[in-house]
Structures are given as structure tokens and as C-alpha cells.
Amino acid sequence: EKQNVLQKVTAQPPSRNDALVWLARTLTEQNEVGEAAGLIHTLQDDPNLPARLADDLNEIKGYWFYKQDIFDSAAAYLEKSLTNADTKQDQSRSEFLLGQLYEMTGKFDKASEFYSKASVHTTDPLIDIYAQLNNAKMRKGNNIKELELGIANLLKLTKKDKFESYRDILFYSAGELAMEKPDSNQAVGFYTRSY
């Protein structure tokens, strides 16, 4: 793929390596994990693999581990491929997924970090709501103040016009956090407001 400037401007970009990355993704999706692993290792060890495909390869590795329920490795490779996102929304979706993966592996501090990032970067109100809810659950421990802060953040969102059509979800989520405290009276109040 190394070309001079004139060749780069006038020629179509080489697609062989892109096709091999897509083939690895397809094999992984079809649960052909052995064949996918062989192709991934071949690509990984290829000294001529262009640097522009490094993030794509990390994303495929992460997906390969995810398909086998090896969530800690999946999270590690997905984190390496975060720069691959085309838009802020794609980045926020990846960060939300990272939060979920780290939550599943018991790394609650890392999960909280990525839920916070997803909430900041997203343009989708639902991702924002669930990122804040999950983040509040990650920080709970035995700290009721953290849960109250999470409830307060969700209640602030109910007052914003952007979240008007999601108020039922916000109140329900606040109820879920109130149950974590546990404060069933407060939870019932939020659940009632969610209808």
C-alpha cells in the first residue's frame, strides 16, 4: 500500500487487507472461531498490514473474544479500538459497551469511567439515561450518598425538555436506585410517577 503522492491521488485504495479484516469479522459472526483466529493471527503478524487497519483489527479481536464470552479480553481490545469511531455517537456506543463489559468482569471503577464518558459523548437520550443509571449503580458500594447523587442526576434530567418523552424511564430508573439504598417508600413514589 505504499505509494507516492500521485498514485495515492489517482488510484483506488488497495482493498485486499480490508477484505481480509471483513472476512475475519464474517467468520467470527458465523461462529467459525478457529478459522477466524487463524486469519486474525495472520493479519496481526503481517508486517505489511497498513497502520490504518490496526484499530479495525483490534475491534475484530475484541468481537472474537466477546463471541466466546471472554469479556475481559473483549473489553481490552475494544478499548484499543475506540479511536476507530466515525462519530461521537459511535464513540459513545462503544464506551457504553465498554462500561457493560467492565461491569461484567467486576471492574466497577473502569465501568463507571466509561459510563461517564458515554453519557458525555452521546446525542441519544436513552444512552444518556442508561449510562447515568448504570454509572450510579457502579459507584454504589455501601455509599448511600453516591446513590442519592445518581437519583438527583436522573431527576435533573426529568426537568429538561430534551428528555420529556423519557420521563417515565427516568422516574423508573430513580426508583431502581432508591431500591438499592434500600428506601422502598421513595422507590414507590418514583415508580408511581413513572406511569
Side-chain angles (χ1 to χ4, degrees):
E1 291 196 10
K2 295 180 180 177
Q3 302 172 338
N4 64 38
V5 175
L6 180 61
Q7 289 173 326
K8 285 183 181 181
V9 171
T10 59
Q12 291 286 336
S15 59
R16 176 187 174 274
N17 292 317
D18 296 276
L20 290 174
V21 169
W22 272 102
L23 180 58
R25 183 186 312 261
T26 303
L27 290 170
T28 302
E29 183 62 34
Q30 294 175 339
N31 291 322
E32 300 286 342
V33 292
E35 290 182 36
L39 186 54
I40 288 169
H41 287 295
T42 301
L43 288 168
Q44 182 179 329
D45 295 337
D46 184 359
N48 296 321
L49 185 74
R52 67 181 174 81
L53 292 177
D55 287 341
D56 290 332
L57 188 58
N58 282 328
E59 189 175 325
I60 297 300
K61 285 186 214 174
Y63 186 54
W64 185 83
F65 282 114
Y66 174 80
K67 289 289 276 190
Q68 298 178 74
D69 297 334
I70 306 172
F71 300 122
D72 54 347
S73 296
Y77 282 108
L78 181 58
E79 190 172 350
K80 288 180 183 179
S81 70
L82 272 180
T83 57
N84 205 25
D86 293 329
T87 64
K88 284 281 190 189
Q89 188 59 25
D90 287 343
Q91 181 179 356
S92 70
R93 289 182 71 223
S94 294
E95 289 165 345
F96 188 84
L97 290 172
L98 273 167
Q100 290 178 316
L101 289 170
Y102 281 125
E103 181 179 353
M104 292 168 74
T105 60
K107 296 179 180 174
F108 301 119
D109 290 339
K110 291 283 278 183
S112 179
E113 173 189 339
F114 283 104
Y115 283 137
S116 294
K117 288 180 179 182
S119 180
V120 168
H121 294 143
T122 190
T123 57
D124 182 354
L126 280 176
I127 290 180
D128 193 4
I129 292 167
Y130 285 110
Q132 289 195 38
L133 172 65
N134 291 349
N135 191 17
K137 288 180 180 177
M138 292 305 97
R139 295 181 293 174
K140 69 173 184 179
N142 293 325
N143 193 343
I144 292 178
K145 288 183 180 181
E146 288 290 335
L147 288 171
E148 288 174 356
L149 178 64
I151 291 170
N153 286 338
L154 291 171
L155 293 178
K156 281 182 199 173
L157 295 180
T158 63
K159 296 174 181 154
K160 294 184 179 181
D161 291 336
K162 173 180 168 183
F163 296 100
E164 182 177 355
S165 60
Y166 301 104
R167 286 188 179 137
D168 55 339
I169 296 171
L170 289 165
F171 283 118
Y172 183 82
S173 300
E176 293 284 297
L177 290 180
M179 288 300 291
E180 295 281 332
K181 285 172 37 175
D183 185 348
S184 56
N185 288 334
Q186 187 182 37
V188 168
F190 291 137
Y191 289 143
T192 304
R193 293 175 75 181
S194 72
Y195 290 111

